[in-house]
Amino acid sequence: MTTDSLLIQVLLYVFLPLWGLAGFVDWCCHRATRIEATSGLKESLIHSLMGLQVGLPILLCLLFEVNVLVLLICLAAWVLHELVAHWDVHYAAPRRHIGIWEMHAHNYLASLPFYMLAMIAVINGPVVIDLLTLDWAGQLSLVPLDSPHGGDGYLPGYLTFMAVLAIFPYTEENLRCLIYALKRRRSA
């Protein structure tokens, strides 16, 4: 097994699941602090935005060859994710308690995308050189992978895992916050 394939296995079976688990722990913390009654729908929507900012690059790297276009999208998404993460904590901190478990979850949610991006850069070193030297010719389109990372069953399994740990919980959080906001508006 080559170093690149070992790194891909670490991404698929360690870092990606850890990101989902950290997101679930974060959601549990939001629920425990009654986000719907404190920082509300705005913060909940910020969380969904951050999930999309990391989820899109993950899907791109699982479905397409990593080229200059994919790296540019990954880099832009990572920078935007970092900015939104700072905005999220700045918004939430005065409105609700952010406990130790949530801070630990945030550490993982902030660092794992960086580590994943760094590993993708190491695995795709020649593409990084092309990016930096502006040798982008022929690398600005999405090229589907011939065979998916992790085999044919990985992506459906991972998407199911993420649906259970992140998509359904954060959808529930958005709905819970929306319902609470609508009830408060009607009673005001």
Side-chain angles (χ1 to χ4, degrees), residues 38-43 46 86-96:
T38 54
S39 53
L41 183 60
K42 184 174 181 177
E43 187 190 1
I46 292 170
H86 286 282
W87 176 41
D88 171 40
V89 174
H90 176 76
Y91 177 79
R95 291 169 176 82
R96 68 178 181 83

Side-chain angles (χ1 to χ4, degrees), residues 9-109:
Q9 297 300 311
V10 169
L11 282 167
L12 295 177
Y13 297 105
V14 178
F15 285 3
L16 288 177
L18 271 176
W19 184 65
L21 289 168
F24 183 73
V25 169
D26 195 41
W27 173 81
C28 291
C29 294
H30 302 161
R31 191 162 177 82
T33 60
R34 293 190 27 102
I35 189 174
E36 70 275 8
T38 54
S39 53
L41 183 60
K42 184 174 181 177
E43 187 190 1
S44 183
L45 291 173
I46 292 170
H47 298 151
S48 295
L49 173 61
M50 287 188 292
L52 290 171
Q53 289 172 322
V54 176
L56 173 66
I58 288 171
L59 285 175
L60 286 175
C61 290
L62 287 174
L63 295 171
F64 300 99
E65 290 180 18
V66 174
N67 59 18
V68 169
L69 175 63
V70 171
L71 274 183
L72 285 171
I73 293 169
C74 290
L75 283 167
W78 176 72
V79 168
L80 290 172
H81 179 267
E82 288 301 302
L83 292 171
V84 173
H86 286 282
W87 176 41
D88 171 40
V89 174
H90 176 76
Y91 177 79
R95 291 169 176 82
R96 68 178 181 83
H97 175 71
I98 300 175
I100 191 73
W101 283 102
E102 188 170 356
M103 289 192 305
H104 280 296
H106 287 179
N107 287 339
Y108 280 92
L109 291 168

